[in-house]
Structures are given as C-alpha cells and as structure tokens.
Amino acid sequence: MLEDGLTDEGISRKTGVSIRTVRRTMADLMKRFNAQSGFQVGAEAVRRGWT
C-alpha cells in the first residue's frame, strides 16, 4: 500500500486499523529502516520480500 502511494488515512480505511495505529507503525518502521518517508519504507519492505 505504501508503494502504491496510499496515505496513512488510506491505509487505515483499507485495513480497518485506526489512524493512530497506522502512524505509530509507520514511525516505528521509519526508525527501524532509517527511512525519511513512507515510500522508502515501502521500497525496503519490497526489497526484503515482505510483500
């Protein structure tokens, strides 16, 4: 979903997870991957075969 350019709000709606949970998860992943954007997190997830 990140690679497709969905916003946090879009991910929240599509998954049924609260916006707060999506944002907290994104912040954790950005820190873990040392990423500056959600797109970078998505690209790293694809590189690791998580999708």
Side-chain angles (χ1 to χ4, degrees):
M1 287 181 253
L2 294 170
E3 189 178 35
D4 291 337
L6 285 179
T7 62
D8 292 348
E9 291 83 3
I11 293 169
S12 174
R13 281 191 303 273
K14 192 167 186 170
T15 62
V17 176
S18 76
I19 186 68
R20 182 177 173 166
T21 298
V22 171
R23 287 185 176 151
R24 187 174 38 236
T25 301
M26 282 301 300
D28 291 345
L29 288 170
M30 287 174 71
K31 185 176 180 181
R32 181 176 180 177
F33 295 154
N34 195 28
Q36 301 297 314
S37 70
F39 183 83
Q40 286 178 322
V41 170
E44 182 62 20
V46 168
R47 188 184 76 74
R48 292 176 183 222
W50 289 6
T51 60

